Amino acid sequence: TGPVYSECLGTLLRMMLNAEYFKDKYLSFSVVDRSGIAWELDEAMASQCGYTVTYSNWSNIEFRASALSCHSRLEEDVFTVTLQIKASHTPDMKNATTHLKSASCHYDPWSPRELLCESNYMEVSVRREVPQTVKDFIQDEHEDWTLAFAEAKQGEALIRQTVFHQPEEKKALLVSDAWSAGYGLNTTDTRFLLRIPYTAPQIQLVEAQGITFAAVRSSTFYKQQRMILVVDTAVACPVDGVDYVNRTIIWTVPKYVQSLSVGVTSFKDVLVEVGVDLRKLSGKEMASRKYVLSNDFNAITVKVPIGAEGGYYKTSVSSGRHGAKYTINLFLEHQWEDNKWGLTKHTIIKDIETPFEQVELAITNNLNLSVRLMNVTVGTFLPDVELVNLTIEGTTVAVPEAVQHGYLTHEIRYANGSKAYVIGVPFDAPSIKKEYVRADMRAYTLNVTLAFIIHPTSETFTVPVITVSAVNDAVLPSARGFCDGRNLHLIITRGNVDQNWLPFISGWHLTPEAAQKYSYSLRDNGTHLAISVPFLSAHVSYEDFHTSAIKASLHLTLKDGISSANRRDFSVSCRFSPSELIQCLPNGTVVITAIKLVGDADLDTSLFVLRDTQCKPSLVTEWTATFKFNVNTCGTSRKFESTAMSYENDVLYYRPGSDTPVYRLKFACWYAIKQTVDVQYESKKNPPPSIKPGFGSLALSLKLFKENSYSEPYQESEYPVVKYLQEALYFEVELLQPKDVRLELNLDDCWATNSQSQDSLPQWPILTNGCENSQDSYRTVFHEVNYSLRVKFPQHLKRFEVRMFTFVQGTTLSQE
């Protein structure tokens, strides 16, 4: 319990830090010696002094100390280590909390030689009870030991030396030099210890049965009385020997390594044990986990299924892809007897990590239609993963800030330690793309990139999340059509899917500018789109023609402004009197418009003629041809009747090379010869219109524009605006609310002051009773307001122009 707990594991003491307690904190480790001095650990000091700091089981932090570490206190068969831990929320370690943990471990009797292969150093500890003379070692390798003897002999009394034996050279180091080079040396009354970091230059890579070992052959000499004593401090640790076959880890360790067996002529196995996380496993435990231990004549082999109990998966990233590696901390203890050392105990700690395996993440969209919420679950992840930020429409935000964009995130933890993240986004969030699909269905697309960090390695990876939700909530636009005597009208009620749909009539994009060009009426107030087109127009089609009526149609298509796909079609058809085609003017001028029916689409209206084929149309559209001529021309015939005189002609169309018309429109004008008309006139006085006063809330705005086009107002950041005397100022007053077409804005009084207070003095009137100030040298000019894309209700705006002036005090210009 508590933030730190400890346990004894043979010659090692282990302290475990509570992951939850130290979560999101910066840590520093120091070892306290017998004098109470704290020595801060770094990688070099740890490997030299017999300490290891590692992460296990995701974020758990583990500290291990050797029994003969630099600062351990030895008393008989007990060693004690004191660890100081500082924890802070900032990397500069300010306001750090200090934790002191001291632990003692009992150790069983030492073997004559003990070898330890830790993850960051090698260690050899030998008994020095029965010293051997140099003469004994010369018998093994004469030249090496002769050189070592000569170097040791030159040293002063009681100064030890360590000689490293390498193929190309023999190098002797004093204890002080060896310590400076990163080696660790220690002695007790009965033991001598040499510790070598894996980065030491004297390490040789040697092979035994195809397995590579990091090995050091060394011997330590020292003078004692009149004798030169020597200790063989050779050590070797395997650096490979791990294979992966059929999702099984196979770890092979040869029994015989040449550098550990110099002078050995007999060898006998005593004990082979295997464990996980420095805890030995019984045969029954190994069987339950499906571990296999093979102890052959030449090698020891351990087989562990990938994913088996004892190891754990940790998250990994390869080329930006999310995946995992299986990690297990195995250890092997091999004891043997030989004729040189008696009993040797070789302990090997092996951190094994399998190759990267890509892991596909599930992205599940759980819609909550009752609250119109997209709930996307992303996972599952291992406990070492944390969501840190989201990228929304190109903007990266931290998880706490995502709520400002409508994104709610929370974490789900499962019983096995894994977890998932849920992203909740309302349908109406600005970043959700809405698209009409079909019928009453809309597609809501969530496109967000999630960024994760892996603890404790700080590797990062991203997961793009793109989900599409189909929801039956589309409201399509609807239309109502009608006609009056001369126009066709379509009023379209907007839905919730047509914000980007554009109106087309007869395949032609109907913009406000285009409508104005053809004298069409186009009004859009955001909820309704109203279109009015004259009966005789370029974009009206004519489907039937009888003497009693003409059937005319206006076809409108709403197209997607992005994909240009046709979304909705509307049309209105009405019958109009044929008399709309002809005008018989009193001065004898006739204006006749010939129309082309839908079935005559191949006819070219510009080739329509009258009886006199030299008479051609004065105005041509795709569907009409208009002629204007005098009744005494163009082959017009005349007939007299009792009370009227008629003029007749035909509009004709001839195909090239034919003298028989394929189109004929006969028309006539009647003029009365004698006519009497009785007109009755009565005068009635109508009451003058009245305006009833009322009260209500109005929202008004006053803006200053840069030019008389009133297209670009000054922004808030541009104030104060600098103007010269008599330079024009363009003001616009707008009624913002209510949007009632029956209301009209009228200005009564408008005045200028030299301060922000409207009641301050002096004042100068710009408008008085809605009129310009007659006393002003440069009178206010009113500007007309017309309908435009920005101006939906011209009657709600007033625009006027004022010349720049300044207030004067006596004969002095006011500076305000």
Side-chain angles (χ1 to χ4, degrees):
T1 60
V4 183
Y5 67 92
S6 62
E7 60 180 329
C8 301
L9 301 163
T11 59
L12 294 173
L13 165 67
R14 172 161 60 191
M15 294 187 185
M16 298 291 293
L17 277 64
N18 187 305
E20 287 298 322
Y21 184 88
F22 290 102
K23 184 179 180 182
D24 299 329
K25 294 179 182 177
Y26 296 89
L27 303 178
S28 72
F29 297 89
S30 300
V31 182
V32 181
D33 64 13
R34 187 184 299 269
S35 303
I37 299 174
W39 300 83
E40 186 171 356
L41 283 182
D42 56 21
E43 290 184 9
M45 181 180 176
S47 59
Q48 184 177 31
C49 282
Y51 305 116
T52 302
V53 178
T54 185
Y55 289 87
S56 63
N57 244 350
W58 300 301
S59 295
N60 291 331
I61 302 173
E62 180 176 323
F63 167 84
R64 295 196 295 266
S66 168
L68 297 177
S69 57
C70 294
H71 309 95
S72 62
R73 299 188 297 278
L74 299 172
E75 295 178 1
E76 297 181 355
D77 56 356
V78 175
F79 68 95
T80 302
V81 176
T82 300
L83 179 66
Q84 177 183 279
I85 305 162
K86 289 187 176 181
S88 173
H89 289 285
T90 58
D92 58 9
M93 302 305 292
K94 288 185 176 180
N95 302 317
T97 303
T98 301
H99 303 269
L100 204 62
K101 178 69 175 180
S102 184
S104 299
C105 291
H106 177 272
Y107 182 64
D108 293 332
W110 295 84
S111 300
R113 179 170 67 161
E114 297 204 2
L115 307 170
L116 174 63
C117 299
E118 250 287 11
S119 59
N120 57 331
Y121 63 87
M122 303 185 294
E123 183 179 282
V124 54
S125 164
V126 299
R127 183 185 298 165
R128 48 179 281 195
E129 292 177 346
V130 183
Q132 296 175 308
T133 63
V134 174
K135 183 178 179 180
D136 298 326
F137 281 88
I138 294 176
Q139 294 174 359
D140 297 327
E141 293 191 20
H142 182 273
E143 293 182 1
D144 287 358
W145 297 110
T146 301
L147 176 62
F149 175 66
E151 292 176 341
K153 215 174 160 187
Q154 295 172 6
E156 297 179 5
L158 302 179
I159 296 180
R160 300 183 297 273
Q161 290 181 324
T162 298
V163 178
F164 296 94
H165 305 271
Q166 295 177 299
E168 65 278 3
E169 64 176 348
K170 282 69 180 178
K171 184 175 182 180
L173 293 176
L174 295 175
V175 171
S176 58
D177 295 331
W179 187 264
S180 298
Y183 298 96
L185 296 96
N186 199 358
T187 60
T188 68
D189 294 340
T190 59
R191 308 292 295 180
F192 181 85
L193 175 135
L194 174 65
R195 189 176 297 112
I196 306 167
Y198 285 112
T199 55
Q202 276 70 36
I203 285 182
Q204 302 175 59
L205 296 179
V206 300
E207 281 197 1
Q209 301 178 41
I211 307 300
T212 302
F213 279 74
V216 172
R217 281 199 58 221
S218 63
S219 45
T220 299
F221 292 81
Y222 56 94
K223 290 181 180 180
Q224 186 172 350
Q225 298 176 358
R226 295 185 178 182
M227 298 179 64
I228 296 178
L229 303 181
V230 62
V231 178
D232 181 3
T233 49
V235 63
C237 293
V239 296
D240 58 18
V242 179
D243 292 315
Y244 309 96
V245 179
N246 296 328
R247 296 196 59 76
T248 300
I249 299 170
I250 303 175
W251 180 29
T252 303
V253 181
K255 290 183 177 181
Y256 309 104
V257 181
Q258 177 62 32
S259 59
L260 299 180
S261 306
V262 175
V264 173
T265 58
S266 64
F267 181 93
K268 177 186 175 183
D269 261 341
V270 175
L271 180 66
V272 174
E273 290 185 299
V274 173
V276 174
D277 292 331
L278 298 180
R279 292 191 179 92
K280 297 177 181 179
L281 297 177
S282 66
K284 184 178 180 181
E285 289 174 317
M286 291 183 62
S288 69
R289 300 182 183 193
K290 298 183 179 180
Y291 293 6
V292 177
L293 172 63
S294 300
N295 185 7
D296 299 330
F297 181 76
N298 293 319
I300 301 167
T301 303
V302 181
K303 295 181 180 180
V304 177
I306 294 177
E309 180 186 352
Y312 65 97
Y313 282 98
K314 64 180 182 180
T315 307
S316 184
V317 178
S318 177
S319 302
R321 297 173 301 159
H322 167 265
K325 295 179 180 180
Y326 176 75
T327 298
I328 188 168
N329 179 251
L330 293 175
F331 87 96
L332 173 68
E333 184 177 295
H334 179 206
Q335 297 185 33
W336 71 84
E337 288 182 347
D338 58 45
N339 62 309
K340 177 180 177 181
W341 288 100
L343 185 64
T344 295
K345 181 164 70 173
H346 195 183
T347 302
I348 304 171
I349 300 173
K350 189 71 172 178
D351 284 316
I352 297 176
E353 185 178 272
T354 61
F356 173 86
E357 290 186 35
Q358 186 172 355
V359 176
E360 295 295 335
L361 294 169
I363 299 175
T364 307
N365 184 9
N366 301 304
L367 289 179
N368 189 336
L369 294 177
S370 61
V371 293
R372 293 180 59 79
L373 188 71
M374 299 176 74
N375 271 321
V376 179
T377 303
V378 183
T380 56
F381 298 100
L382 295 172
D384 56 354
V385 168
E386 180 185 2
L387 175 64
V388 289
N389 59 52
L390 300 84
T391 300
I392 305 166
E393 294 186 311
T395 301
T396 300
V397 296
V399 170
E401 300 168 3
V403 68
Q404 300 174 14
H405 298 260
Y407 286 67
L408 302 175
T409 64
H410 68 273
E411 183 181 282
I412 301 175
R413 288 188 176 270
Y414 302 108
N416 63 356
S418 62
K419 59 185 176 181
Y421 286 92
V422 177
I423 315 298
V425 190
F427 286 178
D428 299 322
S431 61
I432 299 296
K433 178 184 176 184
K434 306 173 188 67
E435 185 177 11
Y436 173 65
V437 180
R438 62 182 180 275
D440 63 344
M441 184 176 293
R442 280 199 292 180
Y444 291 82
T445 302
L446 167 66
N447 188 343
V448 61
T449 299
L450 310 180
F452 298 87
I453 189 170
I454 304 170
H455 298 293
T457 62
S458 296
E459 288 183 284
T460 60
F461 65 94
T462 59
V463 178
V465 177
I466 302 176
T467 61
V468 180
S469 304
V471 181
N472 296 325
D473 67 347
V475 178
L476 297 177
S478 58
R480 178 173 64 90
F482 62 94
C483 299
D484 55 24
R486 300 188 59 85
N487 298 282
L488 296 95
H489 305 275
L490 270 175
I491 299 177
I492 299 169
T493 301
R494 296 281 194 184
N496 62 5
V497 297
D498 54 325
Q499 292 84 359
N500 298 315
W501 294 3
L502 306 176
F504 283 75
I505 55 175
S506 301
W508 174 72
H509 184 198
L510 183 60
T511 63
E513 294 77 16
Q516 187 176 15
K517 174 182 176 182
Y518 286 93
S519 298
Y520 299 167
S521 173
L522 177 65
R523 302 182 303 278
D524 188 352
N525 65 0
T527 61
H528 293 81
L529 175 67
I531 300 168
S532 299
V533 176
F535 157 61
L536 293 176
S537 300
H539 301 93
V540 172
S541 58
Y542 307 97
E543 300 173 359
D544 199 5
F545 192 166
H546 295 284
T547 56
S548 59
I550 301 170
K551 183 180 180 182
S553 298
L554 174 64
H555 298 277
L556 181 139
T557 299
L558 293 178
K559 291 189 177 185
D560 193 305
I562 299 174
S563 65
S564 297
N566 289 355
R567 293 304 189 188
R568 290 284 278 173
D569 293 305
F570 300 109
S571 64
V572 55
S573 298
C574 296
R575 295 187 180 276
F576 293 86
S577 170
S579 63
E580 297 294 331
L581 301 179
I582 189 168
Q583 295 182 59
C584 302
L585 303 180
N587 64 356
T589 299
V590 178
V591 180
I592 178 68
T593 298
I595 59 173
K596 178 176 68 173
L597 299 181
V598 173
D600 299 326
D602 62 329
L603 302 186
D604 185 352
T605 55
S606 66
L607 300 180
F608 281 17
V609 295
L610 298 178
R611 288 176 182 171
D612 182 350
T613 58
Q614 298 301 312
C615 293
K616 301 183 183 302
S618 58
L619 179 64
V620 172
T621 70
E622 182 182 359
W623 295 96
T624 65
T626 301
F627 297 83
K628 186 177 182 179
F629 63 98
N630 188 273
V631 293
N632 296 318
T633 62
C634 296
T636 306
S637 60
R638 182 174 60 183
K639 290 183 181 180
F640 288 95
E641 297 179 8
S642 60
T643 60
M645 180 172 51
S646 66
Y647 293 88
E648 295 183 359
N649 208 326
D650 299 297
V651 178
L652 307 169
Y653 180 84
Y654 299 91
R655 294 195 184 278
S658 173
D659 57 1
T660 302
V662 296
Y663 176 95
R664 181 187 298 272
L665 174 64
K666 184 179 291 290
F667 61 92
C669 283
W670 280 268
Y671 290 91
I673 297 175
K674 182 179 180 182
Q675 185 177 17
T676 301
V677 178
D678 294 329
V679 179
Q680 182 178 0
Y681 173 77
E682 179 181 356
S683 176
K684 180 184 290 185
K685 291 185 179 180
N686 292 320
S690 62
I691 299 176
K692 295 182 179 180
F695 298 93
S697 177
L698 301 177
L700 299 168
S701 73
L702 173 64
K703 296 179 182 177
L704 176 63
F705 283 76
K706 297 181 179 180
E707 297 176 344
N708 61 2
S709 63
Y710 287 89
S711 59
E712 184 180 1
Y714 283 101
Q715 303 299 320
E716 185 176 351
S717 60
E718 296 179 89
Y719 284 93
V721 177
V722 177
K723 292 287 185 179
Y724 297 100
L725 288 176
Q726 300 182 15
E727 190 174 351
L729 300 171
Y730 302 100
F731 291 96
E732 178 186 271
V733 183
E734 181 180 4
L735 173 63
L736 300 176
Q737 291 293 338
K739 296 287 187 182
D740 190 335
V741 70
R742 297 171 300 172
L743 296 179
E744 181 173 353
L745 175 66
N746 289 295
L747 301 181
D748 190 11
D749 293 322
C750 178
W751 65 94
T753 68
N754 64 353
S755 73
Q756 295 185 0
S757 172
Q758 64 180 12
D759 299 322
S760 65
L761 297 173
Q763 297 181 355
W764 184 255
I766 296 172
L767 298 176
T768 302
N769 296 323
C771 299
E772 64 270 19
N773 182 4
S774 59
Q775 299 178 8
D776 205 330
S777 302
Y778 298 93
R779 295 193 178 184
T780 302
V781 177
F782 287 96
H783 292 286
E784 184 179 1
V785 182
N786 296 314
Y787 177 87
S788 68
L789 286 174
R790 187 174 74 84
V791 180
K792 306 301 183 184
F793 304 104
Q795 66 271 31
H796 289 183
L797 286 87
K798 285 293 184 288
R799 292 170 176 169
F800 57 89
E801 173 186 338
V802 179
R803 294 291 174 173
M804 183 66 188
F805 64 89
T806 185
F807 289 96
V808 294
Q809 298 174 346
T811 59
T812 305
L813 291 177
S814 173
Q815 297 300 313
E816 287 83 350

